[in-house]
């Protein structure tokens, strides 16, 4: 039987996990895979390469929707990409490219205009050369030591309150509407998607919501600790030009600095308003990043570069966080 490519099916999971173990030399977490591929409320199509009845390649899809003033479109990031190390010995030298092309073709048929990812340098070069991916920029990262208070930001007494609460319910609807209507593109920030995103097994997240007098969310921040840094896995405010940003970041920083060491770190586009205010007003400094934002066109008529340059990413858009 010749090599062929098809959408992954539930019955493929044991073979895919076995391939993961072979390709990466570590045991996969079945619970994490259920969370990523089965429980995500937004779906896209993962693809397998099959040779002689055996799965020898996998190109994972972490589905989302692209939201912004220009529209509401299906989307995906590419995750868990792997091929059997023995495939080259079998003469399957073009396996990675063919698998990536099949992933693009199958997901393009569902209406997805482009995909994105955050590869390290070696993977970036391979994906640009073999898959036609385009680098938008090295990821912007900004850090603030906990021993240094923010330069601005005091919760406006009586007007707003900062609440630690992981539930994204009715209070979040006002904020989601504002985020999804903003210029540019971003991944889905609906309540259902956020509730799923921050329920990842084995990962501890803290969720802070900034509420107004009517109980509506004006912004939220989600943190987790990784390698001695406290990451702002997600940071969103209804109006990035408003004092709400300083209130939210200042409140989170003040809460965590009592018990956390190291620094608070955010990720966002380098040329965006959020990055500018973090640096210029709130005392954050540029941090080194080992990843880039990479995009690839599925629809040849879609303006990929415009989408990439306005893609408002955060740590949470990268599946490893």
């Amino acid at each position: 039987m010749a090599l062929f490519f098809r959408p992954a099916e539930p019955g493929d999971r044991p073979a895919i996990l076995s391939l993961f173990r072979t390709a990466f030399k570590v045991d996969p977490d079945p619970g994490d895979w259920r969370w990523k591929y089965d429980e995500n409320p937004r779906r896209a199509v993962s693809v397998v390469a099959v040779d002689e009845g055996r799965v020898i390649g996998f190109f994972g899809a972490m589905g989302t929707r692209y939201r912004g003033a220009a529209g509401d479109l299906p989307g995906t990031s590419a995750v868990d990409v792997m091929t059997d190390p023995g495939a080259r010995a079998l003469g399957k030298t073009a396996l990675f490219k063919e698998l990536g092309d099949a992933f693009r073709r199958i997901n393009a048929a569902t209406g997805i205009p482009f995909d994105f990812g955050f590869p390290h340098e070696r993977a970036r070069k391979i994906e640009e050369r073999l898959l036609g991916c385009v680098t938008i920029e090295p990821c912007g990262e900004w850090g603030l030591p906990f021993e240094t208070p923010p330069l601005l930001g005091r919760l406006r007494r009586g007007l707003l309150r900062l609440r630690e609460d992981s539930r994204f319910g009715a209070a979040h609807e006002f904020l989601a509407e504002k985020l999804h209507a903003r210029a540019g593109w971003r991944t889905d920030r609906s309540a259902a998607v956020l509730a799923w995103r921050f329920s990842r097994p084995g990962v501890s997240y803290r969720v802070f919501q900034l509420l107004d007098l009517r109980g509506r969310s004006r912004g939220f921040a989600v943190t987790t600790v990784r390698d001695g840094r406290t990451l702002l896995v997600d940071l969103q405010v209804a109006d990035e030009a408003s004092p709400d940003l300083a209130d939210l970041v200042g409140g989170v920083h003040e809460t965590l600095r009592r018990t956390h060491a190291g620094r608070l770190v955010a990720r966002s586009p380098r040329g965006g308003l959020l990055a500018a205010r973090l640096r210029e007003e709130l005392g954050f400094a540029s941090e080194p990043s080992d990843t880039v934002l990479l995009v690839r066109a599925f629809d040849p008529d879609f303006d990929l570069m415009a989408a990439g340059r306005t893609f408002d990413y955060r740590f949470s858009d990268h599946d490893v966080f």
Side-chain angles (χ1 to χ4, degrees):
M1 183 183 296
L3 174 68
F4 67 96
F5 306 90
R6 61 166 172 79
E9 300 170 352
D12 295 323
R13 183 66 55 80
I16 295 170
L17 295 181
S18 177
L19 176 63
F20 184 99
R21 190 176 298 108
T22 299
F24 299 116
K25 310 302 182 186
V26 295
D27 289 327
D29 180 350
D32 192 66
W33 278 65
R34 284 192 298 272
W35 168 82
K36 189 183 298 185
Y37 293 106
D38 304 337
E39 298 172 9
N40 186 348
R42 305 301 189 198
R43 300 298 179 89
V45 184
S46 298
V47 175
V48 291
V50 181
D51 184 63
E52 299 294 335
R54 187 168 65 93
V55 173
I56 64 170
F58 178 75
F59 215 105
M62 191 166 172
T64 185
R65 292 196 71 84
Y66 300 135
R67 308 294 296 265
D72 177 1
L73 303 171
T76 189
S77 60
V79 298
D80 297 319
V81 178
M82 57 187 128
T83 58
D84 190 322
R88 184 178 298 275
L90 296 173
K92 308 294 189 298
T93 55
L95 176 59
F96 177 77
K97 175 174 171 33
E98 292 177 3
L99 179 59
D101 288 345
F103 179 82
R104 174 189 53 76
R105 183 174 62 255
I106 290 170
N107 279 284
T110 71
I112 294 177
F114 70 98
D115 73 348
F116 69 94
F118 300 94
H120 54 69
E121 182 64 12
R122 179 174 176 272
R124 176 193 68 80
K125 292 178 179 179
I126 294 172
E127 292 177 33
E128 285 185 341
R129 178 169 56 87
L130 295 180
L131 302 183
C133 296
V134 177
T135 296
I136 297 300
E137 66 175 23
C139 289
E141 295 187 15
W142 328 100
L144 178 70
F146 277 114
E147 63 265 25
T148 305
L151 299 181
L152 293 176
R154 292 291 183 270
L155 204 62
R156 284 163 283 166
R157 192 175 303 278
L159 297 178
L160 300 172
R161 57 193 173 98
L162 186 69
R163 182 177 70 186
E164 186 169 356
D165 188 348
S166 62
R167 295 168 297 178
F168 291 95
H172 179 72
E173 293 176 1
F174 169 80
L175 176 58
E177 182 178 341
K178 295 289 186 182
L179 296 176
H180 294 161
R182 190 178 291 166
W185 295 98
R186 63 210 37 83
T187 57
D188 194 337
R189 292 306 195 283
S190 64
V193 167
L194 293 178
W196 160 77
R197 180 62 182 84
F198 300 117
S199 67
R200 187 171 200 162
V203 181
S204 177
Y205 298 106
R206 294 181 69 174
V207 180
F208 300 87
Q209 301 189 51
L210 188 68
L211 305 178
D212 64 16
L213 291 175
R214 299 172 61 181
R216 302 178 305 181
S217 177
R218 299 277 289 271
F220 72 88
V222 182
T223 66
T224 194
V225 177
R226 183 73 63 89
D227 299 327
R229 304 190 303 170
T230 299
L231 305 182
L232 283 161
V233 183
D234 205 353
L235 174 62
Q236 305 286 342
V237 290
D239 180 1
E240 290 183 347
S242 76
D244 293 350
L245 177 64
D247 288 327
L248 176 58
V249 174
V252 171
H253 185 273
E254 185 64 26
T255 299
L256 297 182
R257 69 194 300 260
R258 304 166 192 159
T259 56
H260 288 53
R263 57 200 186 279
L264 189 64
V265 181
R267 175 183 282 184
S268 67
R270 291 176 173 272
L273 177 58
L274 176 60
R277 293 197 64 200
L278 289 175
R279 294 192 311 266
E280 297 167 12
E281 299 177 30
L282 298 179
F284 283 69
S286 179
E287 296 247 334
S289 175
D290 61 357
T291 58
V292 302
L293 170 62
L294 202 72
V295 295
R296 177 171 63 142
F298 287 3
D299 177 355
D301 296 325
F302 188 79
D303 192 340
L304 178 69
M305 296 309 296
R309 293 189 185 106
T310 62
F311 193 71
D312 194 18
Y313 59 85
R314 301 289 188 273
F315 279 117
S316 62
D317 291 308
H318 193 174
D319 72 305
V320 301
F321 300 106

